[in-house]
Amino acid sequence: MVYLFFVLASLLCTQTEALATQLKEKTDFQYLLLAHFWPTTSCVFFRNEGEDCYVSPVVKGWTIHGLWPSIAGTEKPDYCNDSMKFNYNEIKSLSSRLAVNWPSFEMGAPNTSLWEHEWTKHGTCAYSLPILKGELKYFNGTMNLHEKLNITKYLEDSGIVPSNEAMYLPQDIFNAVKKGVGKVPDITCLYEKKTQRHHLEQVWLCYNKQLQPIDCPEVSATKRLSSTLYFESVAEQEAAAPLNSYFQECPKSGKVYYKPLPNSQ
Ligand SMILES: *[C@@H]1O[C@H](CO)[C@@H](O)[C@H](O)[C@H]1NC(C)=O
Ligand SMILES: *[C@@H]1O[C@H](CO)[C@@H](O)[C@H](O)[C@H]1NC(C)=O
Ligand SMILES: *[C@@H]1O[C@H](CO)[C@@H](O)[C@H](O)[C@H]1NC(C)=O
Ligand SMILES: *[C@@H]1O[C@H](CO)[C@@H](O)[C@H](O)[C@H]1NC(C)=O
């Protein structure tokens, strides 16, 4: 009995140590990526899945997807501490700002579902940074970054305005955001199955650990950007590697939609 106890105890210790080492490595990151959604394209995503979306009338522009501790060339780290369960009460004081800046668009899903997902997948990884430690700092800090930006305006200043008819070159969209932010961004698009057209979906901006804007390292470092963006077509991506990521690059040739908000008509 006593013997068994020691065996078990030492097993547990070894496991805890291994877990601690693993977690330390798991939570390391190089920079933070602030991902934004264009709500209308989020609706395309849900339509592609045969679902419906809901965009509240308080939503007037680009919204937050999440703030992601990142390592260039990977989608890591993620899910850094499963014991830190999302607790809405901790961020309840931010509710009106969250509703405007960080809504969830999935019809029928609880409106906390995106926050819970972003906290569990990314917020727990940002925890190692004192300025983003814990739910309140993570959500407030992310919204503080977002509220300093106006992506709608950066695009508008370059003549890129939401339209049901006009389509835009990904390169022009990229240049417009780059000019507005003063740093190298990244953009992603989404393919609509029904119309077989691409839509501008996300704008990604990057920050260092002091939360100062930086060029997005991945875009700067890879083939995709010298002075001209290189966008792979979906077919090329599939040929190169099976699409195991949700994110799609914008088409290399051809234009994309940037449609008005569903609640703006
Ligand atoms: C994970 O979160 C739990 C609960 O907050 C905490 O007790 C634990 O120390 C955390 N683990 C690490 C490695 O940070
Ligand atoms: C969730 O949405 C409902 C209905 O729109 C609203 O009454 C409620 O205040 C929202 N809750 C949060 C946490 O935003
Ligand atoms: C959110 O961040 C701002 C800027 O740092 C700060 O002034 C404010 O008190 C924070 N709000 C909460 C609820 O912590
Ligand atoms: C962002 O810019 C657009 C276009 O100039 C403007 O209509 C909107 O009010 C601005 N949004 C905020 C939150 O300032």
Side-chain angles (χ1 to χ4, degrees):
M1 194 62 191
V2 174
Y3 171 74
L4 195 65
F5 171 79
F6 278 116
V7 170
L8 277 176
S10 65
L11 257 175
L12 267 174
C13 281
T14 321
Q15 267 180 6
T16 314
E17 272 165 28
L19 196 66
T21 319
Q22 205 187 336
L23 272 175
K24 191 167 177 289
E25 289 161 5
K26 254 181 88 178
T27 58
D28 281 345
F29 63 92
Q30 297 163 341
Y31 65 101
L32 293 141
L33 193 158
L34 177 57
H36 290 90
F37 279 129
W38 180 242
T40 313
T41 307
S42 294
C43 288
V44 172
F45 170 79
F46 289 113
R47 277 205 302 275
N48 272 349
E49 305 291 307
E51 290 175 47
D52 235 328
C53 74
Y54 172 72
V55 181
S56 151
V58 300
V59 173
K60 305 280 187 217
W62 289 80
T63 58
I64 300 167
H65 182 174
L67 183 68
W68 307 336
S70 298
I71 297 168
T74 74
E75 287 185 15
K76 299 278 175 201
D78 58 10
Y79 300 104
C80 292
N81 189 339
D82 292 341
S83 336
M84 290 187 205
K85 302 289 180 217
F86 177 75
N87 175 4
Y88 173 67
N89 287 328
E90 287 188 32
I91 56 167
K92 211 171 179 164
S93 60
L94 306 174
S95 65
S96 52
R97 281 166 73 212
L98 283 165
V100 173
N101 298 307
W102 208 331
S104 159
F105 302 115
E106 186 177 3
M107 182 81 105
N111 41 13
T112 51
S113 59
L114 178 62
W115 308 326
E116 177 162 12
H117 173 75
E118 293 302 312
W119 167 253
T120 310
K121 185 168 180 183
H122 305 286
T124 55
C125 299
Y127 197 82
S128 56
L129 210 58
I131 37 177
L132 296 173
K133 200 183 192 77
E135 277 185 46
L136 190 58
K137 286 185 179 163
Y138 176 73
F139 285 92
N140 190 31
T142 303
M143 286 197 289
N144 289 340
L145 292 177
H146 169 81
E147 286 163 356
K148 283 186 209 148
L149 307 161
N150 189 335
I151 296 171
T152 313
K153 183 167 191 314
Y154 305 151
L155 294 171
E156 190 182 284
D157 288 348
S158 293
I160 297 164
V161 292
S163 167
N164 280 311
E165 293 85 33
M167 296 181 85
Y168 301 99
L169 282 174
Q171 181 71 57
D172 292 343
I173 295 167
F174 173 87
N175 289 343
V177 178
K178 184 171 175 225
K179 193 171 158 204
V181 180
K183 298 288 172 190
V184 175
D186 201 354
I187 60 175
T188 77
C189 290
L190 186 78
Y191 182 72
E192 183 173 17
K193 292 175 187 165
K194 198 173 141 205
T195 60
Q196 307 191 319
R197 296 283 174 91
H198 289 87
H199 297 252
L200 173 61
E201 192 203 25
Q202 303 203 23
V203 165
W204 291 356
L205 303 174
C206 298
Y207 295 85
N208 63 20
K209 290 182 178 179
Q210 288 75 48
L211 301 187
Q212 278 142 1
I214 57 168
D215 290 342
C216 283
E218 208 163 321
V219 187
S220 317
T222 64
K223 63 186 189 305
R224 290 201 284 133
L225 189 86
S226 44
S227 59
T228 329
L229 259 190
Y230 175 76
F231 294 108
E232 287 173 324
S233 69
V234 172
E236 280 174 314
Q237 286 176 56
E238 276 173 345
L243 269 182
N244 54 9
S245 172
Y246 162 82
F247 306 109
Q248 300 172 10
E249 295 202 16
C250 295
K252 182 163 57 171
S253 51
K255 297 180 174 184
V256 302
Y257 277 123
Y258 172 42
K259 292 203 171 188
L261 294 174
N263 55 31
S264 70
Q265 286 113 352

